[in-house]
Amino acid sequence: MTFTSDNRSSAVMIASAVVLGAFGALAVRQLMRSSDRGGFREVRNAGALSMQTPPRDWDETDEELDESFPASDPPGNY
C-alpha cells in the first residue's frame, strides 16, 4: 500500500486525535481521583479561635471579613 499526501495527513490527524484523547482520559482520571474527597479542601471555621496562629490584634472588622470568606463581597458595615 502506498501512502499519498492525503493519506499521510489523514494518518497524522488520526494519530494526533488518539494522543489527545489519551491525554484527555488521563486528565479526567486525575480529576475523578481528586473529587473522591468531594472536590473541596477542608476549610476552617471563621474566627480567631479557629486559627492555628491567631493574630494579636483582631478587631470586629477582621472578624466580619473572616466570616465573609469565600464570598466576593465585603461586609457592609466597615
Side-chain angles (χ1 to χ4, degrees):
M1 177 178 203
T2 58
F3 287 104
T4 63
S5 154
D6 291 337
N7 287 343
R8 286 185 186 139
S9 63
S10 295
V12 168
M13 290 175 62
I14 291 171
S16 299
V18 168
V19 169
L20 287 175
F23 280 120
L26 289 173
V28 168
R29 184 177 180 191
Q30 183 64 30
L31 288 172
M32 296 296 285
R33 191 177 296 158
S34 68
S35 69
D36 290 343
R37 298 183 306 259
F40 297 103
R41 290 184 171 172
E42 187 176 330
V43 178
R44 68 168 175 81
N45 291 329
L49 296 177
S50 298
M51 295 180 182
Q52 290 179 358
T53 55
R56 294 181 188 187
D57 54 339
W58 186 260
D59 61 10
E60 188 176 331
T61 304
D62 294 324
E63 183 78 21
E64 290 170 354
L65 286 170
D66 192 50
E67 289 173 352
S68 73
F69 182 81
S72 60
D73 51 341
N77 58 355
Y78 64 93

